[in-house]
Amino acid sequence: TADPALILEPASTERGREILKSEGIDIENINSIVGISVRPWVYDYSEVFAKFSDFISRELKSEILFIPFHGEDDIEVSLKIMKLMNERAHVIKGIYNPKELMSIIKRLNLLVGVRLHSLIFAAAVGTPFCGLSYDPKIDGFLKMFEMEPIGYMDNLDLDTLCSKVEELWANRESAGKKINEKVIKLSANIKEHNRQFFDFSGICGRQ
């Protein structure tokens, strides 16, 4: 079953702009933004990810924005990667609710996610995304969109990451359309499942 978060509505576009501005990101003077969501892991992948992030910034000519989903833990990993980078990057430091996070992700041109809900939120707002797998649940979610992970956390290869993200970037508009089409179908299934559940609950409640 698809994650119910797919049918969440993001906060307003204006709210997304306000958050980015409060975080020191002047979105009006930025050509494109690539969001990155990371998490703590058993292996230290910060050096590989720093080089990967530099590649995105330099070759895709995009600002890098790290988006933590689990507070200080994710912020710490993000800052560690940023310190090893040569290019400029930003990290969201405030605490925001799911709808506000979605409004931020909607402003992105691409999202690279390790956290599952970063991928779910990107799909919900139609932002092109790619995922790195640390658990079968990531593979399962990506499979719903006929995608595969661009890498596996236990064995990250920089060249592979760079080539796959570059390919997605070149096709991001068509990728966004395919994501929207799939989300429409998945959302319909979620709403129908919810309807059947509440109908059944109502029947049980009357017995």
Side-chain angles (χ1 to χ4, degrees):
T1 306
D3 194 297
L6 280 173
I7 61 175
L8 275 178
E9 292 290 333
S12 68
T13 301
E14 180 58 33
R15 178 57 183 147
R17 186 183 295 110
E18 287 174 359
I19 292 171
L20 290 172
K21 186 176 181 180
S22 71
E23 294 281 351
I25 301 160
D26 184 9
I27 194 168
E28 306 303 333
N29 293 312
I30 293 175
N31 290 328
S32 58
I33 306 177
V34 173
I36 300 179
S37 167
V38 292
R39 57 158 293 157
W41 191 238
V42 290
Y43 305 112
D44 184 0
Y45 61 94
S46 54
E47 186 173 342
V48 172
F49 241 74
K51 292 178 180 177
F52 179 42
S53 301
D54 277 339
F55 173 86
I56 293 173
S57 176
R58 185 176 62 253
E59 300 300 324
L60 307 187
K61 296 179 174 57
S62 298
E63 291 286 324
I64 300 295
L65 176 62
F66 286 91
I67 306 174
F69 270 69
H70 283 251
E72 292 299 325
D73 288 343
D74 289 5
I75 291 176
E76 183 178 343
V77 177
S78 300
L79 290 174
K80 186 174 183 180
I81 294 169
M82 288 170 62
K83 286 179 182 178
L84 295 173
M85 290 176 61
N86 293 318
E87 306 293 337
R88 183 174 63 180
H90 313 270
V91 61
I92 297 291
K93 293 182 179 178
I95 304 297
Y96 302 103
N97 64 45
K99 291 190 173 188
E100 289 174 324
L101 286 172
M102 291 174 73
S103 72
I104 295 170
I105 291 172
K106 191 173 183 179
R107 306 285 303 193
L108 305 177
N109 300 91
L110 175 69
L111 179 120
V112 178
V114 180
R115 289 287 187 188
L116 175 61
H117 274 86
S118 71
L119 304 177
I120 293 172
F121 287 0
V125 298
T127 294
F129 62 86
C130 54
L132 292 98
S133 180
Y134 67 92
D135 185 279
K137 63 186 180 183
I138 300 289
D139 302 67
F141 179 77
L142 293 172
K143 191 174 181 179
M144 287 194 293
F145 292 86
E146 300 177 357
M147 297 169 65
E148 293 182 355
I150 64 169
Y152 291 85
M153 295 300 291
D154 286 339
N155 186 28
L156 293 176
D157 179 76
L158 179 61
D159 289 340
T160 301
L161 294 175
C162 292
S163 63
K164 289 190 174 182
V165 80
E166 192 171 33
E167 180 181 356
L168 176 57
W169 182 258
N171 298 289
R172 62 190 181 280
E173 288 188 13
S174 61
K177 290 178 182 177
K178 289 180 181 178
I179 289 168
N180 281 328
E181 290 170 0
K182 186 65 177 179
V183 167
I184 289 171
K185 294 178 182 178
L186 291 172
S187 297
N189 292 340
I190 293 169
K191 291 173 182 177
E192 176 60 19
H193 179 270
N194 289 347
R195 185 190 66 78
Q196 291 178 4
F197 173 79
F198 287 115
D199 285 351
F200 179 74
S201 298
I203 292 170
C204 291
R206 291 194 295 272
Q207 291 180 347

Coordinates of all heavy atoms in Angstrom, one line a residue, residues 94-148:
G94 N 16.0 25.1 11.2 CA 14.8 25.2 11.9 C 14.0 23.9 12.0 O 14.3 23.0 11.3
I95 N 13.0 23.9 12.9 CA 12.1 22.8 13.0 C 10.8 23.1 12.3 O 10.1 24.1 12.6 CB 11.8 22.5 14.5 CG1 13.1 22.2 15.3 CG2 10.9 21.3 14.6 CD1 13.9 21.1 14.8
Y96 N 10.5 22.3 11.3 CA 9.3 22.5 10.5 C 8.4 21.3 10.4 O 8.9 20.2 10.5 CB 9.7 23.0 9.1 CG 10.6 24.2 9.1 CD1 11.9 24.1 8.9 CD2 10.0 25.5 9.4 CE1 12.8 25.2 9.0 CE2 10.8 26.6 9.4 CZ 12.2 26.5 9.2 OH 13.0 27.6 9.3
N97 N 7.1 21.5 10.3 CA 6.1 20.4 10.2 C 6.2 19.8 8.8 O 6.8 20.4 7.9 CB 4.7 20.9 10.6 CG 4.1 21.9 9.7 OD1 4.2 21.8 8.5 ND2 3.5 22.9 10.3
P98 N 5.6 18.6 8.6 CA 5.6 18.0 7.3 C 5.1 18.8 6.1 O 5.8 18.8 5.1 CB 4.7 16.8 7.5 CG 4.8 16.4 9.0 CD 4.9 17.8 9.6
K99 N 4.1 19.6 6.3 CA 3.6 20.4 5.2 C 4.6 21.5 4.9 O 4.7 21.9 3.7 CB 2.2 21.0 5.6 CG 1.1 20.0 5.7 CD -0.3 20.6 5.8 CE -1.4 19.6 5.7 NZ -2.7 20.2 5.6
E100 N 5.2 22.1 5.9 CA 6.2 23.1 5.6 C 7.5 22.5 4.9 O 8.0 23.1 4.0 CB 6.7 23.8 6.9 CG 5.6 24.6 7.5 CD 5.9 25.2 8.9 OE1 6.5 24.5 9.6 OE2 5.5 26.3 9.2
L101 N 7.9 21.3 5.3 CA 9.0 20.6 4.6 C 8.6 20.4 3.2 O 9.4 20.5 2.3 CB 9.3 19.3 5.3 CG 10.1 19.4 6.6 CD1 10.1 18.0 7.3 CD2 11.4 20.0 6.4
M102 N 7.4 20.0 2.9 CA 6.9 19.8 1.6 C 7.0 21.0 0.7 O 7.3 21.0 -0.4 CB 5.5 19.2 1.6 CG 5.4 17.8 2.1 SD 3.7 17.2 2.3 CE 3.3 16.9 0.6
S103 N 6.6 22.2 1.4 CA 6.7 23.4 0.7 C 8.1 23.8 0.3 O 8.3 24.5 -0.8 CB 6.0 24.6 1.5 OG 6.8 24.9 2.6
I104 N 9.1 23.4 1.1 CA 10.5 23.6 0.8 C 10.9 22.7 -0.4 O 11.5 23.2 -1.4 CB 11.4 23.3 2.0 CG1 11.1 24.3 3.1 CG2 12.8 23.4 1.6 CD1 11.8 24.0 4.4
I105 N 10.5 21.5 -0.3 CA 10.9 20.5 -1.3 C 10.2 20.9 -2.7 O 10.8 20.6 -3.7 CB 10.5 19.1 -0.9 CG1 11.4 18.7 0.3 CG2 10.6 18.1 -2.0 CD1 11.0 17.4 1.0
K106 N 9.1 21.5 -2.6 CA 8.4 21.9 -3.9 C 9.2 22.9 -4.6 O 9.1 23.1 -5.8 CB 7.0 22.4 -3.6 CG 6.1 22.6 -4.8 CD 4.7 22.9 -4.4 CE 3.8 23.0 -5.7 NZ 2.4 23.3 -5.3
R107 N 10.0 23.7 -3.9 CA 10.8 24.7 -4.5 C 12.1 24.2 -5.1 O 12.8 24.9 -5.8 CB 11.2 25.8 -3.4 CG 10.1 26.4 -2.6 CD 9.3 27.4 -3.4 NE 10.1 28.5 -3.9 CZ 9.6 29.6 -4.4 NH1 8.3 29.8 -4.5 NH2 10.4 30.5 -4.9
L108 N 12.4 22.9 -4.9 CA 13.6 22.3 -5.4 C 13.5 21.9 -6.9 O 12.4 21.7 -7.4 CB 14.0 21.1 -4.6 CG 14.2 21.2 -3.1 CD1 14.4 19.8 -2.5 CD2 15.2 22.2 -2.8
N109 N 14.6 21.8 -7.6 CA 14.7 21.3 -8.9 C 14.9 19.8 -9.0 O 14.6 19.1 -9.9 CB 15.7 22.0 -9.8 CG 15.5 23.5 -9.8 OD1 15.9 24.3 -9.0 ND2 14.7 24.0 -10.8
L110 N 15.5 19.3 -7.8 CA 15.8 17.9 -7.7 C 16.1 17.6 -6.3 O 16.6 18.4 -5.5 CB 17.1 17.5 -8.6 CG 17.6 16.1 -8.4 CD1 16.6 15.1 -9.1 CD2 19.0 16.0 -9.1
L111 N 15.7 16.4 -5.8 CA 16.0 16.0 -4.5 C 16.7 14.6 -4.5 O 16.4 13.7 -5.2 CB 14.7 15.8 -3.6 CG 15.0 15.3 -2.2 CD1 14.5 16.3 -1.2 CD2 14.5 13.9 -2.0
V112 N 17.8 14.6 -3.8 CA 18.6 13.4 -3.6 C 18.4 12.9 -2.1 O 18.7 13.6 -1.2 CB 20.1 13.6 -3.8 CG1 20.9 12.3 -3.6 CG2 20.3 14.1 -5.2
G113 N 17.7 11.8 -1.9 CA 17.3 11.4 -0.6 C 17.8 10.1 -0.1 O 17.8 9.1 -0.8
V114 N 18.2 10.1 1.2 CA 18.5 8.8 1.9 C 17.3 8.5 2.8 O 16.8 7.4 2.9 CB 19.8 8.9 2.7 CG1 20.0 7.6 3.5 CG2 21.0 9.2 1.9
R115 N 16.7 9.6 3.4 CA 15.5 9.4 4.2 C 14.3 9.1 3.3 O 14.0 9.8 2.3 CB 15.3 10.7 5.0 CG 16.2 11.0 6.1 CD 16.0 10.1 7.3 NE 16.8 10.5 8.5 CZ 16.9 9.7 9.6 NH1 16.3 8.6 9.6 NH2 17.7 10.1 10.6
L116 N 13.6 8.1 3.7 CA 12.4 7.7 2.9 C 11.4 8.8 2.8 O 10.9 9.0 1.7 CB 11.7 6.5 3.6 CG 10.4 6.0 2.9 CD1 10.6 5.6 1.5 CD2 9.8 4.9 3.7
H117 N 11.1 9.5 3.9 CA 10.1 10.5 3.7 C 10.5 11.7 2.9 O 9.6 12.5 2.4 CB 9.5 11.0 5.1 CG 8.5 10.1 5.6 ND1 8.7 8.9 6.3 CD2 7.1 10.1 5.5 CE1 7.6 8.3 6.6 NE2 6.6 9.0 6.1
S118 N 11.8 11.9 2.7 CA 12.2 13.0 1.8 C 11.8 12.6 0.4 O 11.3 13.5 -0.4 CB 13.7 13.2 1.9 OG 14.4 12.1 1.3
L119 N 11.8 11.3 0.1 CA 11.4 10.8 -1.3 C 9.9 10.9 -1.4 O 9.4 11.3 -2.5 CB 11.9 9.4 -1.5 CG 13.4 9.1 -1.3 CD1 13.7 7.7 -1.5 CD2 14.2 10.0 -2.3
I120 N 9.2 10.5 -0.4 CA 7.7 10.5 -0.4 C 7.2 12.0 -0.6 O 6.4 12.2 -1.4 CB 7.2 9.9 0.9 CG1 7.5 8.4 1.0 CG2 5.6 10.1 1.0 CD1 7.1 7.8 2.3
F121 N 7.8 12.9 0.2 CA 7.4 14.3 0.1 C 7.7 14.9 -1.3 O 6.9 15.6 -1.9 CB 8.1 15.2 1.1 CG 7.5 14.9 2.5 CD1 6.5 14.0 2.8 CD2 8.0 15.6 3.6 CE1 6.0 13.8 4.0 CE2 7.5 15.5 4.9 CZ 6.5 14.5 5.1
A122 N 8.9 14.5 -1.9 CA 9.2 15.0 -3.2 C 8.2 14.4 -4.2 O 7.8 15.2 -5.1 CB 10.6 14.5 -3.6
A123 N 7.9 13.2 -4.1 CA 6.9 12.6 -5.0 C 5.5 13.3 -4.9 O 4.9 13.6 -5.9 CB 6.7 11.1 -4.7
A124 N 5.1 13.6 -3.7 CA 3.8 14.2 -3.4 C 3.7 15.6 -4.1 O 2.6 16.0 -4.5 CB 3.6 14.3 -1.9
V125 N 4.8 16.3 -4.1 CA 4.8 17.7 -4.7 C 5.3 17.7 -6.1 O 5.4 18.8 -6.7 CB 5.5 18.7 -3.8 CG1 4.9 18.8 -2.5 CG2 7.0 18.3 -3.7
G126 N 5.7 16.6 -6.7 CA 6.1 16.5 -8.1 C 7.5 16.9 -8.4 O 7.9 17.3 -9.5
T127 N 8.4 16.9 -7.3 CA 9.8 17.3 -7.5 C 10.6 16.0 -7.9 O 10.5 15.0 -7.3 CB 10.4 17.8 -6.2 OG1 9.7 19.1 -5.9 CG2 11.9 18.1 -6.4
P128 N 11.3 16.1 -9.0 CA 12.1 14.9 -9.4 C 13.0 14.5 -8.3 O 13.6 15.4 -7.6 CB 12.9 15.5 -10.6 CG 12.1 16.6 -11.2 CD 11.5 17.2 -10.0
F129 N 13.2 13.2 -8.1 CA 14.0 12.7 -7.0 C 14.8 11.4 -7.4 O 14.4 10.8 -8.4 CB 13.1 12.4 -5.8 CG 12.1 11.4 -6.0 CD1 12.4 10.0 -5.9 CD2 10.8 11.7 -6.4 CE1 11.4 9.0 -6.1 CE2 9.8 10.7 -6.6 CZ 10.1 9.4 -6.5
C130 N 15.8 11.2 -6.6 CA 16.5 9.9 -6.7 C 16.9 9.5 -5.3 O 17.1 10.3 -4.4 CB 17.7 10.0 -7.6 SG 18.9 11.3 -7.2
G131 N 16.9 8.2 -5.1 CA 17.1 7.7 -3.7 C 18.4 6.8 -3.6 O 18.8 6.2 -4.5
L132 N 18.9 6.8 -2.4 CA 20.0 5.9 -2.0 C 19.4 4.9 -1.0 O 18.8 5.4 0.0 CB 21.2 6.7 -1.4 CG 21.9 7.6 -2.4 CD1 21.4 9.0 -2.3 CD2 23.4 7.5 -2.2
S133 N 19.7 3.7 -1.1 CA 19.1 2.7 -0.3 C 19.9 2.2 0.9 O 21.1 2.0 0.7 CB 18.7 1.4 -1.2 OG 18.1 0.4 -0.4
Y134 N 19.2 2.1 2.0 CA 19.8 1.5 3.2 C 18.9 0.5 3.8 O 19.3 -0.2 4.7 CB 20.1 2.6 4.3 CG 18.9 3.2 4.9 CD1 18.3 2.7 6.0 CD2 18.2 4.3 4.3 CE1 17.1 3.2 6.6 CE2 17.1 4.8 4.8 CZ 16.5 4.3 5.9 OH 15.4 4.8 6.5
D135 N 17.8 0.3 3.1 CA 16.7 -0.6 3.6 C 15.8 -1.0 2.5 O 15.6 -0.1 1.6 CB 15.9 0.1 4.7 CG 14.9 -0.8 5.4 OD1 13.8 -1.0 4.9 OD2 15.2 -1.3 6.5
P136 N 15.3 -2.2 2.5 CA 14.3 -2.6 1.4 C 13.1 -1.7 1.2 O 12.6 -1.6 0.1 CB 13.9 -4.0 1.8 CG 15.0 -4.5 2.6 CD 15.5 -3.3 3.4
K137 N 12.8 -0.9 2.2 CA 11.6 0.0 2.1 C 11.9 1.1 1.1 O 11.0 1.6 0.4 CB 11.2 0.6 3.4 CG 12.3 1.5 4.1 CD 11.8 1.9 5.5 CE 12.8 2.8 6.1 NZ 12.4 3.2 7.5
I138 N 13.2 1.5 1.0 CA 13.6 2.5 0.0 C 13.4 1.9 -1.4 O 12.8 2.5 -2.3 CB 15.0 3.0 0.2 CG1 15.2 3.6 1.5 CG2 15.4 3.9 -1.0 CD1 14.6 4.9 1.7
D139 N 13.9 0.7 -1.6 CA 13.8 0.0 -2.9 C 12.4 -0.2 -3.3 O 12.0 0.0 -4.5 CB 14.5 -1.4 -2.9 CG 16.0 -1.3 -2.5 OD1 16.3 -0.9 -1.3 OD2 16.8 -1.6 -3.3
G140 N 11.5 -0.5 -2.3 CA 10.1 -0.8 -2.6 C 9.4 0.5 -3.0 O 8.6 0.5 -4.0
F141 N 9.7 1.6 -2.4 CA 9.1 2.9 -2.8 C 9.5 3.3 -4.2 O 8.7 3.7 -5.0 CB 9.5 4.0 -1.8 CG 8.9 5.3 -2.1 CD1 7.5 5.6 -1.9 CD2 9.6 6.3 -2.7 CE1 7.0 6.8 -2.2 CE2 9.1 7.5 -3.0 CZ 7.7 7.8 -2.8
L142 N 10.8 3.2 -4.4 CA 11.3 3.6 -5.7 C 10.7 2.7 -6.8 O 10.5 3.2 -8.0 CB 12.9 3.5 -5.8 CG 13.6 4.5 -4.9 CD1 15.1 4.2 -4.9 CD2 13.4 5.9 -5.4
K143 N 10.5 1.4 -6.5 CA 10.0 0.5 -7.5 C 8.6 0.9 -8.0 O 8.2 0.7 -9.1 CB 10.0 -0.9 -6.9 CG 9.7 -2.0 -7.9 CD 9.8 -3.4 -7.3 CE 9.5 -4.5 -8.4 NZ 9.7 -5.8 -7.8
M144 N 7.8 1.5 -7.0 CA 6.5 2.0 -7.4 C 6.6 3.1 -8.5 O 5.6 3.2 -9.3 CB 5.8 2.6 -6.2 CG 5.3 1.6 -5.2 SD 4.1 2.3 -4.0 CE 5.2 3.5 -3.1
F145 N 7.7 3.7 -8.6 CA 7.9 4.7 -9.7 C 8.8 4.3 -10.8 O 9.4 5.0 -11.6 CB 8.5 6.0 -9.0 CG 7.5 6.7 -8.1 CD1 7.4 6.3 -6.8 CD2 6.7 7.7 -8.6 CE1 6.5 7.0 -5.9 CE2 5.8 8.4 -7.8 CZ 5.7 8.0 -6.4
E146 N 9.0 2.9 -10.8 CA 9.8 2.3 -11.9 C 11.3 2.8 -11.8 O 11.9 3.1 -12.8 CB 9.2 2.4 -13.3 CG 7.8 1.8 -13.4 CD 7.2 2.0 -14.7 OE1 7.8 2.7 -15.6 OE2 6.1 1.5 -14.9
M147 N 11.7 3.0 -10.6 CA 13.1 3.5 -10.4 C 13.9 2.5 -9.5 O 13.3 1.7 -8.8 CB 13.0 4.9 -9.7 CG 12.3 6.0 -10.5 SD 12.0 7.5 -9.5 CE 13.7 8.0 -9.1
E148 N 15.2 2.7 -9.6 CA 16.1 1.9 -8.8 C 17.0 2.9 -8.0 O 17.2 4.0 -8.4 CB 17.0 1.0 -9.6 CG 16.2 -0.1 -10.3 CD 17.2 -1.0 -11.1 OE1 18.4 -0.8 -11.1 OE2 16.7 -2.1 -11.6

